[in-house]
Amino acid sequence: MEQALYQEKLCTAAEIAEQIESGSVCACGTCLSEPAAITAALGARLRTLDGPAVTHHQTMPVYPSAFFDEALAGRYTAVSWFSTGYAREAFARGLADVMPGYYRDVPALYGEEINLDVFYAAVSPMDRHGYFSFGTTGAECQALARKAKQIFLEVNPHMPRTFGDQQIHLSKVTALCENDAPLAAAPPVQIDPVSEKIGALIAGEIPDGATLQLGIGAIPAAVGLCLREKRDLGIHTELFSDSMVELIECGAVTNDRKTLHRGKSIATLAYGTQRVYDFLHENVGVEFYPVNYVNDPHVIAKNDCFVSVNACLEVDLWGQVASESIGTRHFSGTGGQVDFVRGARESKGGRSFIAMPSTAKGGTVSRIKPVLTAGAIVTTSKNDVDAVVTEYGIARLRGRTAKQRATALIAIAHPAFREELTYEAKQMNLM
Ligand code: COA
């Protein structure tokens, strides 16, 4: 019966694009959830479509979508809810707007603030009961499916079938198409000596049995790779990526000592190399849940001994953490950084680490600054931050005075900048 209905709803990506009216507000889930054939077909349709622009919302786009195409400017509005390369560049060229916010609020904002016409998503092939899995993206998919007026799916055999709260039944779908195309993959993680040093420092603070969240970027990945000798680690994370596969396969992660979801790795999205997607396919050891659950600090805190590791761009002497912009240059988004810092703080025995190399631009710029670069966006507040790490050590800030913080941060700055930072700290009465 499901097969007959499947055939009834099956059409081409172009036919799906035809069903999207001008002025529609559309969204897909995070990252690999983008149905690349449908969005490409919609791009082609936009070239001739009259009437109000179509709006496309997406968190962490990784495909060179039609929504960042200069030739279509004015015919669409692209909104990035967390920017990586394409969206960052599109914003810089005036082709995209950005939605500030906590990642965990994304599901609620649709419906509350944004009336959604279309939800489209890449999914794994249907199972024999008529269910598709959202594969690498739990995040906002269920919420979008509940709130949209039309649901279009792009069935991709490369999308892993995953478990958790992350399925949609054929009966809910307006139409579907098929696209046999490999998923976008992240470049393999390159661990440079600085990341390795930072990884080793943080690894020294992580006890056996801890439950981990590792954020986005080279440093969290390096931390993961430094944990291979640990025992009985657990995973409760926003982003599931290569270092986690490594830790599970080498036996460091068992999830046996977790105090929530024992025995399972929990995530809300996955992005990495093909190794990650192969590992996830039909793997009951990993479960994906919506981001409003996974990133909720109260849920995170139910994991005893929770350790969160996230990267940032710069930190000032009070301990304000900027992770989203380099001065006025838009770079990424808040994501789950603040929620994991807060969740770790509330966890029994929890810790959180914010890490960065001590310098940028080939060693010419210190990333520990007296004040943040003008225009820098504060992601994690000085009141939430626990510890900041560079390749020169760990500065514990929680429960430390302003002067103690400045001293601790200068001690982990690159030696070439310590004198200047000390001078500035004195000018600011921080020493
Ligand atoms: N001044 C000038 N340039 C700077 C800079 C600064 N203060 N800080 C970084 N840069 C440059 C770097 O040198 C690097 O340049 P390159 O690409 O030419 O080498 C570039 O900016 C990126 O910096 P890097 O430290 O390599 O970033 P990353 O890829 O490791 O990502 C974040 C770091 C902070 C952007 C990323 O972790 C993020 O988006 N965090 C916010 C959300 C979050 O933490 N979510 C957690 C849950 S997943």
Side-chain angles (χ1 to χ4, degrees), residues 82 213-219 238-239 310-314 323-324 326 329 331-337 340 357 360-361 365-367 369:
F82 185 99
Q213 175 258 340
L214 301 177
I216 192 163
I219 291 174
E238 175 183 303
L239 173 70
N310 289 293
C312 72
L313 297 167
E314 55 182 39
S323 311
E324 300 171 44
I326 301 174
R329 191 174 129 218
F331 205 79
S332 64
T334 305
Q337 184 172 116
F340 279 98
K361 291 189 174 168
V365 173
S366 174
R367 287 166 71 151
K369 309 231 153 160

PDB file of all heavy atoms in Angstrom, residues 82 213-219 238-239 310-314 323-324 326 329 331-337 340 357 360-361 365-367 369, ligand 1:
ATOM      1  N   PHE A  82      22.726  30.146  10.755  1.00  0.00           N
ATOM      2  CA  PHE A  82      24.093  29.873  11.255  1.00  0.00           C
ATOM      3  C   PHE A  82      24.950  29.763   9.999  1.00  0.00           C
ATOM      4  O   PHE A  82      24.681  28.931   9.133  1.00  0.00           O
ATOM      5  CB  PHE A  82      24.175  28.562  12.049  1.00  0.00           C
ATOM      6  CG  PHE A  82      25.533  28.319  12.657  1.00  0.00           C
ATOM      7  CD1 PHE A  82      25.780  28.610  13.990  1.00  0.00           C
ATOM      8  CD2 PHE A  82      26.587  27.803  11.889  1.00  0.00           C
ATOM      9  CE1 PHE A  82      27.048  28.392  14.552  1.00  0.00           C
ATOM     10  CE2 PHE A  82      27.842  27.588  12.441  1.00  0.00           C
ATOM     11  CZ  PHE A  82      28.068  27.884  13.779  1.00  0.00           C
ATOM     12  N   GLN A 213      30.356  17.095  24.887  1.00  0.00           N
ATOM     13  CA  GLN A 213      29.914  17.830  23.701  1.00  0.00           C
ATOM     14  C   GLN A 213      31.155  18.444  23.098  1.00  0.00           C
ATOM     15  O   GLN A 213      31.952  19.094  23.788  1.00  0.00           O
ATOM     16  CB  GLN A 213      28.934  18.948  24.062  1.00  0.00           C
ATOM     17  CG  GLN A 213      28.534  19.824  22.864  1.00  0.00           C
ATOM     18  CD  GLN A 213      29.266  21.178  22.829  1.00  0.00           C
ATOM     19  OE1 GLN A 213      29.792  21.640  23.828  1.00  0.00           O
ATOM     20  NE2 GLN A 213      29.292  21.802  21.662  1.00  0.00           N
ATOM     21  N   LEU A 214      31.362  18.212  21.813  1.00  0.00           N
ATOM     22  CA  LEU A 214      32.480  18.832  21.107  1.00  0.00           C
ATOM     23  C   LEU A 214      31.892  19.725  20.024  1.00  0.00           C
ATOM     24  O   LEU A 214      31.087  19.282  19.208  1.00  0.00           O
ATOM     25  CB  LEU A 214      33.380  17.766  20.475  1.00  0.00           C
ATOM     26  CG  LEU A 214      34.005  16.755  21.441  1.00  0.00           C
ATOM     27  CD1 LEU A 214      34.821  15.709  20.683  1.00  0.00           C
ATOM     28  CD2 LEU A 214      34.887  17.456  22.479  1.00  0.00           C
ATOM     29  N   GLY A 215      32.295  20.985  20.015  1.00  0.00           N
ATOM     30  CA  GLY A 215      31.719  21.961  19.087  1.00  0.00           C
ATOM     31  C   GLY A 215      32.314  21.895  17.699  1.00  0.00           C
ATOM     32  O   GLY A 215      32.945  20.915  17.297  1.00  0.00           O
ATOM     33  N   ILE A 216      32.144  22.986  16.987  1.00  0.00           N
ATOM     34  CA  ILE A 216      32.512  23.042  15.580  1.00  0.00           C
ATOM     35  C   ILE A 216      33.901  23.677  15.446  1.00  0.00           C
ATOM     36  O   ILE A 216      34.246  24.578  16.199  1.00  0.00           O
ATOM     37  CB  ILE A 216      31.418  23.819  14.816  1.00  0.00           C
ATOM     38  CG1 ILE A 216      31.548  23.687  13.331  1.00  0.00           C
ATOM     39  CG2 ILE A 216      31.333  25.264  15.224  1.00  0.00           C
ATOM     40  CD1 ILE A 216      30.270  24.098  12.591  1.00  0.00           C
ATOM     41  N   GLY A 217      34.724  23.158  14.516  1.00  0.00           N
ATOM     42  CA  GLY A 217      36.051  23.740  14.292  1.00  0.00           C
ATOM     43  C   GLY A 217      37.167  22.740  14.586  1.00  0.00           C
ATOM     44  O   GLY A 217      36.927  21.632  15.074  1.00  0.00           O
ATOM     45  N   ALA A 218      38.396  23.161  14.265  1.00  0.00           N
ATOM     46  CA  ALA A 218      39.541  22.255  14.359  1.00  0.00           C
ATOM     47  C   ALA A 218      39.873  21.882  15.809  1.00  0.00           C
ATOM     48  O   ALA A 218      40.299  20.755  16.082  1.00  0.00           O
ATOM     49  CB  ALA A 218      40.764  22.905  13.715  1.00  0.00           C
ATOM     50  N   ILE A 219      39.675  22.810  16.729  1.00  0.00           N
ATOM     51  CA  ILE A 219      40.111  22.527  18.105  1.00  0.00           C
ATOM     52  C   ILE A 219      39.226  21.480  18.789  1.00  0.00           C
ATOM     53  O   ILE A 219      39.755  20.497  19.336  1.00  0.00           O
ATOM     54  CB  ILE A 219      40.236  23.829  18.920  1.00  0.00           C
ATOM     55  CG1 ILE A 219      41.426  24.610  18.343  1.00  0.00           C
ATOM     56  CG2 ILE A 219      40.401  23.561  20.394  1.00  0.00           C
ATOM     57  CD1 ILE A 219      41.630  25.963  18.911  1.00  0.00           C
ATOM     58  N   GLU A 238      25.652  18.536  20.133  1.00  0.00           N
ATOM     59  CA  GLU A 238      24.885  19.145  19.036  1.00  0.00           C
ATOM     60  C   GLU A 238      25.329  18.518  17.712  1.00  0.00           C
ATOM     61  O   GLU A 238      24.538  17.972  16.961  1.00  0.00           O
ATOM     62  CB  GLU A 238      25.158  20.645  19.040  1.00  0.00           C
ATOM     63  CG  GLU A 238      24.538  21.409  17.898  1.00  0.00           C
ATOM     64  CD  GLU A 238      24.941  22.875  17.974  1.00  0.00           C
ATOM     65  OE1 GLU A 238      24.677  23.514  19.004  1.00  0.00           O
ATOM     66  OE2 GLU A 238      25.532  23.382  17.003  1.00  0.00           O
ATOM     67  N   LEU A 239      26.629  18.580  17.448  1.00  0.00           N
ATOM     68  CA  LEU A 239      27.178  18.142  16.158  1.00  0.00           C
ATOM     69  C   LEU A 239      27.916  16.820  16.322  1.00  0.00           C
ATOM     70  O   LEU A 239      28.865  16.723  17.105  1.00  0.00           O
ATOM     71  CB  LEU A 239      28.154  19.210  15.650  1.00  0.00           C
ATOM     72  CG  LEU A 239      28.962  18.862  14.408  1.00  0.00           C
ATOM     73  CD1 LEU A 239      28.058  18.815  13.184  1.00  0.00           C
ATOM     74  CD2 LEU A 239      30.070  19.886  14.178  1.00  0.00           C
ATOM     75  N   ASN A 310      34.166  24.125  23.186  1.00  0.00           N
ATOM     76  CA  ASN A 310      33.786  24.931  22.024  1.00  0.00           C
ATOM     77  C   ASN A 310      34.902  25.900  21.667  1.00  0.00           C
ATOM     78  O   ASN A 310      35.727  26.251  22.509  1.00  0.00           O
ATOM     79  CB  ASN A 310      32.494  25.697  22.320  1.00  0.00           C
ATOM     80  CG  ASN A 310      31.314  24.759  22.377  1.00  0.00           C
ATOM     81  OD1 ASN A 310      30.920  24.177  21.373  1.00  0.00           O
ATOM     82  ND2 ASN A 310      30.770  24.567  23.579  1.00  0.00           N
ATOM     83  N   ALA A 311      34.882  26.340  20.415  1.00  0.00           N
ATOM     84  CA  ALA A 311      35.925  27.242  19.938  1.00  0.00           C
ATOM     85  C   ALA A 311      35.400  28.674  19.898  1.00  0.00           C
ATOM     86  O   ALA A 311      34.185  28.908  19.910  1.00  0.00           O
ATOM     87  CB  ALA A 311      36.369  26.811  18.542  1.00  0.00           C
ATOM     88  N   CYS A 312      36.313  29.630  19.845  1.00  0.00           N
ATOM     89  CA  CYS A 312      35.907  31.032  19.720  1.00  0.00           C
ATOM     90  C   CYS A 312      36.932  31.788  18.884  1.00  0.00           C
ATOM     91  O   CYS A 312      37.962  31.227  18.485  1.00  0.00           O
ATOM     92  CB  CYS A 312      35.750  31.675  21.087  1.00  0.00           C
ATOM     93  SG  CYS A 312      37.315  31.970  21.899  1.00  0.00           S
ATOM     94  N   LEU A 313      36.632  33.050  18.608  1.00  0.00           N
ATOM     95  CA  LEU A 313      37.516  33.862  17.761  1.00  0.00           C
ATOM     96  C   LEU A 313      38.381  34.798  18.596  1.00  0.00           C
ATOM     97  O   LEU A 313      39.554  34.981  18.315  1.00  0.00           O
ATOM     98  CB  LEU A 313      36.670  34.666  16.756  1.00  0.00           C
ATOM     99  CG  LEU A 313      35.885  33.774  15.769  1.00  0.00           C
ATOM    100  CD1 LEU A 313      34.845  34.572  15.009  1.00  0.00           C
ATOM    101  CD2 LEU A 313      36.839  33.078  14.797  1.00  0.00           C
ATOM    102  N   GLU A 314      37.820  35.426  19.634  1.00  0.00           N
ATOM    103  CA  GLU A 314      38.641  36.224  20.550  1.00  0.00           C
ATOM    104  C   GLU A 314      37.973  36.352  21.910  1.00  0.00           C
ATOM    105  O   GLU A 314      36.769  36.129  22.058  1.00  0.00           O
ATOM    106  CB  GLU A 314      38.987  37.590  19.947  1.00  0.00           C
ATOM    107  CG  GLU A 314      37.815  38.425  19.500  1.00  0.00           C
ATOM    108  CD  GLU A 314      38.236  39.755  18.854  1.00  0.00           C
ATOM    109  OE1 GLU A 314      39.224  39.790  18.104  1.00  0.00           O
ATOM    110  OE2 GLU A 314      37.554  40.759  19.112  1.00  0.00           O
ATOM    111  N   SER A 323      32.511  34.652  19.303  1.00  0.00           N
ATOM    112  CA  SER A 323      32.665  33.464  18.444  1.00  0.00           C
ATOM    113  C   SER A 323      31.988  33.627  17.090  1.00  0.00           C
ATOM    114  O   SER A 323      32.054  32.737  16.263  1.00  0.00           O
ATOM    115  CB  SER A 323      32.047  32.234  19.121  1.00  0.00           C
ATOM    116  OG  SER A 323      32.478  32.122  20.440  1.00  0.00           O
ATOM    117  N   GLU A 324      31.279  34.734  16.876  1.00  0.00           N
ATOM    118  CA  GLU A 324      30.425  34.824  15.676  1.00  0.00           C
ATOM    119  C   GLU A 324      30.906  35.820  14.656  1.00  0.00           C
ATOM    120  O   GLU A 324      30.426  35.820  13.519  1.00  0.00           O
ATOM    121  CB  GLU A 324      29.007  35.214  16.098  1.00  0.00           C
ATOM    122  CG  GLU A 324      28.388  34.225  17.022  1.00  0.00           C
ATOM    123  CD  GLU A 324      27.080  34.728  17.595  1.00  0.00           C
ATOM    124  OE1 GLU A 324      26.260  35.280  16.836  1.00  0.00           O
ATOM    125  OE2 GLU A 324      26.884  34.566  18.807  1.00  0.00           O
ATOM    126  N   ILE A 326      34.350  38.522  13.358  1.00  0.00           N
ATOM    127  CA  ILE A 326      35.702  39.063  13.548  1.00  0.00           C
ATOM    128  C   ILE A 326      35.535  40.563  13.373  1.00  0.00           C
ATOM    129  O   ILE A 326      35.404  41.059  12.252  1.00  0.00           O
ATOM    130  CB  ILE A 326      36.685  38.467  12.527  1.00  0.00           C
ATOM    131  CG1 ILE A 326      36.728  36.934  12.680  1.00  0.00           C
ATOM    132  CG2 ILE A 326      38.073  39.075  12.702  1.00  0.00           C
ATOM    133  CD1 ILE A 326      37.552  36.213  11.629  1.00  0.00           C
ATOM    134  N   ARG A 329      32.929  41.715  10.802  1.00  0.00           N
ATOM    135  CA  ARG A 329      32.786  40.697   9.749  1.00  0.00           C
ATOM    136  C   ARG A 329      32.037  39.469  10.270  1.00  0.00           C
ATOM    137  O   ARG A 329      32.541  38.739  11.117  1.00  0.00           O
ATOM    138  CB  ARG A 329      34.188  40.301   9.256  1.00  0.00           C
ATOM    139  CG  ARG A 329      34.170  39.476   8.001  1.00  0.00           C
ATOM    140  CD  ARG A 329      35.608  39.262   7.517  1.00  0.00           C
ATOM    141  NE  ARG A 329      35.825  37.861   7.272  1.00  0.00           N
ATOM    142  CZ  ARG A 329      36.935  37.203   7.527  1.00  0.00           C
ATOM    143  NH1 ARG A 329      37.981  37.816   8.053  1.00  0.00           N
ATOM    144  NH2 ARG A 329      37.040  35.924   7.253  1.00  0.00           N
ATOM    145  N   PHE A 331      30.718  35.900  10.791  1.00  0.00           N
ATOM    146  CA  PHE A 331      31.465  34.666  10.571  1.00  0.00           C
ATOM    147  C   PHE A 331      30.633  33.409  10.782  1.00  0.00           C
ATOM    148  O   PHE A 331      30.627  32.522   9.955  1.00  0.00           O
ATOM    149  CB  PHE A 331      32.686  34.640  11.504  1.00  0.00           C
ATOM    150  CG  PHE A 331      33.794  33.785  10.987  1.00  0.00           C
ATOM    151  CD1 PHE A 331      34.646  34.238   9.996  1.00  0.00           C
ATOM    152  CD2 PHE A 331      33.973  32.496  11.465  1.00  0.00           C
ATOM    153  CE1 PHE A 331      35.655  33.431   9.486  1.00  0.00           C
ATOM    154  CE2 PHE A 331      34.980  31.679  10.967  1.00  0.00           C
ATOM    155  CZ  PHE A 331      35.828  32.151   9.984  1.00  0.00           C
ATOM    156  N   SER A 332      29.904  33.302  11.881  1.00  0.00           N
ATOM    157  CA  SER A 332      29.114  32.063  12.069  1.00  0.00           C
ATOM    158  C   SER A 332      27.824  32.348  12.826  1.00  0.00           C
ATOM    159  O   SER A 332      27.010  33.124  12.342  1.00  0.00           O
ATOM    160  CB  SER A 332      29.950  30.987  12.744  1.00  0.00           C
ATOM    161  OG  SER A 332      30.307  31.385  14.040  1.00  0.00           O
ATOM    162  N   GLY A 333      27.624  31.770  13.964  1.00  0.00           N
ATOM    163  CA  GLY A 333      26.391  32.001  14.714  1.00  0.00           C
ATOM    164  C   GLY A 333      26.582  31.546  16.150  1.00  0.00           C
ATOM    165  O   GLY A 333      27.634  31.018  16.514  1.00  0.00           O
ATOM    166  N   THR A 334      25.551  31.741  16.945  1.00  0.00           N
ATOM    167  CA  THR A 334      25.644  31.361  18.361  1.00  0.00           C
ATOM    168  C   THR A 334      25.626  29.843  18.507  1.00  0.00           C
ATOM    169  O   THR A 334      26.304  29.286  19.368  1.00  0.00           O
ATOM    170  CB  THR A 334      24.445  31.970  19.136  1.00  0.00           C
ATOM    171  OG1 THR A 334      24.439  33.375  18.895  1.00  0.00           O
ATOM    172  CG2 THR A 334      24.541  31.705  20.614  1.00  0.00           C
ATOM    173  N   GLY A 335      24.833  29.189  17.652  1.00  0.00           N
ATOM    174  CA  GLY A 335      24.729  27.735  17.730  1.00  0.00           C
ATOM    175  C   GLY A 335      24.335  27.315  19.133  1.00  0.00           C
ATOM    176  O   GLY A 335      23.480  27.931  19.775  1.00  0.00           O
ATOM    177  N   GLY A 336      25.008  26.271  19.625  1.00  0.00           N
ATOM    178  CA  GLY A 336      24.670  25.775  20.957  1.00  0.00           C
ATOM    179  C   GLY A 336      25.702  26.152  22.000  1.00  0.00           C
ATOM    180  O   GLY A 336      25.647  25.646  23.132  1.00  0.00           O
ATOM    181  N   GLN A 337      26.632  27.037  21.626  1.00  0.00           N
ATOM    182  CA  GLN A 337      27.744  27.293  22.555  1.00  0.00           C
ATOM    183  C   GLN A 337      27.272  27.688  23.960  1.00  0.00           C
ATOM    184  O   GLN A 337      27.695  27.110  24.967  1.00  0.00           O
ATOM    185  CB  GLN A 337      28.669  28.370  21.978  1.00  0.00           C
ATOM    186  CG  GLN A 337      29.860  28.610  22.840  1.00  0.00           C
ATOM    187  CD  GLN A 337      30.905  29.529  22.199  1.00  0.00           C
ATOM    188  OE1 GLN A 337      31.143  30.608  22.704  1.00  0.00           O
ATOM    189  NE2 GLN A 337      31.542  29.108  21.135  1.00  0.00           N
ATOM    190  N   PHE A 340      25.404  24.889  25.925  1.00  0.00           N
ATOM    191  CA  PHE A 340      26.265  23.826  26.448  1.00  0.00           C
ATOM    192  C   PHE A 340      27.144  24.333  27.591  1.00  0.00           C
ATOM    193  O   PHE A 340      27.415  23.594  28.545  1.00  0.00           O
ATOM    194  CB  PHE A 340      27.088  23.185  25.322  1.00  0.00           C
ATOM    195  CG  PHE A 340      26.277  22.166  24.560  1.00  0.00           C
ATOM    196  CD1 PHE A 340      25.662  22.492  23.358  1.00  0.00           C
ATOM    197  CD2 PHE A 340      26.074  20.897  25.078  1.00  0.00           C
ATOM    198  CE1 PHE A 340      24.881  21.568  22.685  1.00  0.00           C
ATOM    199  CE2 PHE A 340      25.285  19.957  24.408  1.00  0.00           C
ATOM    200  CZ  PHE A 340      24.683  20.287  23.204  1.00  0.00           C
ATOM    201  N   PRO A 357      43.411  29.213  19.319  1.00  0.00           N
ATOM    202  CA  PRO A 357      44.850  29.461  19.259  1.00  0.00           C
ATOM    203  C   PRO A 357      45.117  30.855  19.822  1.00  0.00           C
ATOM    204  O   PRO A 357      44.251  31.730  19.733  1.00  0.00           O
ATOM    205  CB  PRO A 357      45.154  29.425  17.756  1.00  0.00           C
ATOM    206  CG  PRO A 357      43.975  28.772  17.115  1.00  0.00           C
ATOM    207  CD  PRO A 357      42.804  29.055  17.996  1.00  0.00           C
ATOM    208  N   ALA A 360      46.154  34.979  15.635  1.00  0.00           N
ATOM    209  CA  ALA A 360      45.597  34.792  14.283  1.00  0.00           C
ATOM    210  C   ALA A 360      46.509  35.522  13.301  1.00  0.00           C
ATOM    211  O   ALA A 360      47.464  36.198  13.713  1.00  0.00           O
ATOM    212  CB  ALA A 360      44.184  35.350  14.216  1.00  0.00           C
ATOM    213  N   LYS A 361      46.177  35.389  12.031  1.00  0.00           N
ATOM    214  CA  LYS A 361      46.906  36.078  10.957  1.00  0.00           C
ATOM    215  C   LYS A 361      48.414  35.850  11.065  1.00  0.00           C
ATOM    216  O   LYS A 361      49.193  36.812  11.186  1.00  0.00           O
ATOM    217  CB  LYS A 361      46.605  37.571  10.977  1.00  0.00           C
ATOM    218  CG  LYS A 361      45.177  37.910  10.582  1.00  0.00           C
ATOM    219  CD  LYS A 361      45.047  39.398  10.415  1.00  0.00           C
ATOM    220  CE  LYS A 361      43.686  39.780   9.880  1.00  0.00           C
ATOM    221  NZ  LYS A 361      43.428  41.207   9.966  1.00  0.00           N
ATOM    222  N   VAL A 365      48.424  38.805  15.285  1.00  0.00           N
ATOM    223  CA  VAL A 365      47.306  39.354  16.066  1.00  0.00           C
ATOM    224  C   VAL A 365      47.054  38.456  17.273  1.00  0.00           C
ATOM    225  O   VAL A 365      46.951  37.239  17.127  1.00  0.00           O
ATOM    226  CB  VAL A 365      46.023  39.343  15.181  1.00  0.00           C
ATOM    227  CG1 VAL A 365      44.807  39.728  15.995  1.00  0.00           C
ATOM    228  CG2 VAL A 365      46.176  40.257  13.984  1.00  0.00           C
ATOM    229  N   SER A 366      46.965  39.066  18.468  1.00  0.00           N
ATOM    230  CA  SER A 366      46.611  38.272  19.655  1.00  0.00           C
ATOM    231  C   SER A 366      45.100  38.070  19.686  1.00  0.00           C
ATOM    232  O   SER A 366      44.343  39.001  19.404  1.00  0.00           O
ATOM    233  CB  SER A 366      47.040  39.004  20.926  1.00  0.00           C
ATOM    234  OG  SER A 366      46.568  38.290  22.056  1.00  0.00           O
ATOM    235  N   ARG A 367      44.670  36.877  20.041  1.00  0.00           N
ATOM    236  CA  ARG A 367      43.220  36.635  20.139  1.00  0.00           C
ATOM    237  C   ARG A 367      42.734  36.892  21.564  1.00  0.00           C
ATOM    238  O   ARG A 367      41.532  36.925  21.799  1.00  0.00           O
ATOM    239  CB  ARG A 367      42.882  35.229  19.629  1.00  0.00           C
ATOM    240  CG  ARG A 367      43.006  35.209  18.097  1.00  0.00           C
ATOM    241  CD  ARG A 367      43.036  33.828  17.485  1.00  0.00           C
ATOM    242  NE  ARG A 367      41.762  33.147  17.541  1.00  0.00           N
ATOM    243  CZ  ARG A 367      41.365  32.230  16.637  1.00  0.00           C
ATOM    244  NH1 ARG A 367      42.138  31.932  15.595  1.00  0.00           N
ATOM    245  NH2 ARG A 367      40.225  31.626  16.758  1.00  0.00           N
ATOM    246  N   LYS A 369      42.458  39.902  23.941  1.00  0.00           N
ATOM    247  CA  LYS A 369      42.517  41.347  23.690  1.00  0.00           C
ATOM    248  C   LYS A 369      42.130  42.111  24.941  1.00  0.00           C
ATOM    249  O   LYS A 369      41.295  41.624  25.713  1.00  0.00           O
ATOM    250  CB  LYS A 369      41.496  41.721  22.604  1.00  0.00           C
ATOM    251  CG  LYS A 369      41.585  40.891  21.343  1.00  0.00           C
ATOM    252  CD  LYS A 369      41.654  41.773  20.145  1.00  0.00           C
ATOM    253  CE  LYS A 369      42.371  41.051  19.059  1.00  0.00           C
ATOM    254  NZ  LYS A 369      42.219  41.451  17.756  1.00  0.00           N
TER     255      LYS A 369
HETATM  256  N1  COA B   1      41.277  38.259  14.231  1.00  0.00           N
HETATM  257  C1  COA B   1      41.563  38.028  12.910  1.00  0.00           C
HETATM  258  N2  COA B   1      41.388  36.838  12.316  1.00  0.00           N
HETATM  259  C2  COA B   1      40.918  35.829  13.066  1.00  0.00           C
HETATM  260  C3  COA B   1      40.597  35.995  14.420  1.00  0.00           C
HETATM  261  C4  COA B   1      40.800  37.258  15.004  1.00  0.00           C
HETATM  262  N3  COA B   1      40.519  37.476  16.283  1.00  0.00           N
HETATM  263  N4  COA B   1      40.146  34.835  14.910  1.00  0.00           N
HETATM  264  C5  COA B   1      40.170  33.944  13.904  1.00  0.00           C
HETATM  265  N5  COA B   1      40.645  34.555  12.793  1.00  0.00           N
HETATM  266  C6  COA B   1      40.826  33.893  11.496  1.00  0.00           C
HETATM  267  C7  COA B   1      41.698  32.670  11.660  1.00  0.00           C
HETATM  268  O1  COA B   1      43.071  32.999  11.563  1.00  0.00           O
HETATM  269  C8  COA B   1      41.218  31.786  10.536  1.00  0.00           C
HETATM  270  O2  COA B   1      41.764  32.267   9.326  1.00  0.00           O
HETATM  271  P1  COA B   1      42.303  31.229   8.204  1.00  0.00           P
HETATM  272  O3  COA B   1      41.076  30.498   7.772  1.00  0.00           O
HETATM  273  O4  COA B   1      42.854  32.136   7.172  1.00  0.00           O
HETATM  274  O5  COA B   1      43.293  30.376   8.912  1.00  0.00           O
HETATM  275  C9  COA B   1      39.718  32.099  10.492  1.00  0.00           C
HETATM  276  O6  COA B   1      39.550  33.380  11.096  1.00  0.00           O
HETATM  277  C10 COA B   1      38.891  31.070  11.254  1.00  0.00           C
HETATM  278  O7  COA B   1      39.359  30.933  12.575  1.00  0.00           O
HETATM  279  P2  COA B   1      39.458  29.498  13.256  1.00  0.00           P
HETATM  280  O8  COA B   1      39.918  29.677  14.643  1.00  0.00           O
HETATM  281  O9  COA B   1      40.207  28.554  12.380  1.00  0.00           O
HETATM  282  O10 COA B   1      37.909  29.089  13.225  1.00  0.00           O
HETATM  283  P3  COA B   1      37.232  27.657  13.273  1.00  0.00           P
HETATM  284  O11 COA B   1      36.943  27.185  11.925  1.00  0.00           O
HETATM  285  O12 COA B   1      37.966  26.750  14.202  1.00  0.00           O
HETATM  286  O13 COA B   1      35.825  28.042  13.940  1.00  0.00           O
HETATM  287  C11 COA B   1      34.404  29.332  15.350  1.00  0.00           C
HETATM  288  C12 COA B   1      35.800  28.745  15.137  1.00  0.00           C
HETATM  289  C13 COA B   1      34.431  30.107  16.648  1.00  0.00           C
HETATM  290  C14 COA B   1      34.009  30.258  14.218  1.00  0.00           C
HETATM  291  C15 COA B   1      33.373  28.164  15.452  1.00  0.00           C
HETATM  292  O14 COA B   1      33.750  27.306  16.477  1.00  0.00           O
HETATM  293  C16 COA B   1      31.982  28.686  15.702  1.00  0.00           C
HETATM  294  O15 COA B   1      31.263  29.009  14.783  1.00  0.00           O
HETATM  295  N6  COA B   1      31.570  28.763  17.010  1.00  0.00           N
HETATM  296  C17 COA B   1      30.274  29.329  17.391  1.00  0.00           C
HETATM  297  C18 COA B   1      29.201  28.305  17.561  1.00  0.00           C
HETATM  298  C19 COA B   1      29.557  27.176  18.461  1.00  0.00           C
HETATM  299  O16 COA B   1      30.507  27.198  19.204  1.00  0.00           O
HETATM  300  N7  COA B   1      28.771  26.155  18.410  1.00  0.00           N
HETATM  301  C20 COA B   1      29.011  25.008  19.268  1.00  0.00           C
HETATM  302  C21 COA B   1      28.140  23.899  19.062  1.00  0.00           C
HETATM  303  S1  COA B   1      28.489  23.018  17.536  1.00  0.00           S
END
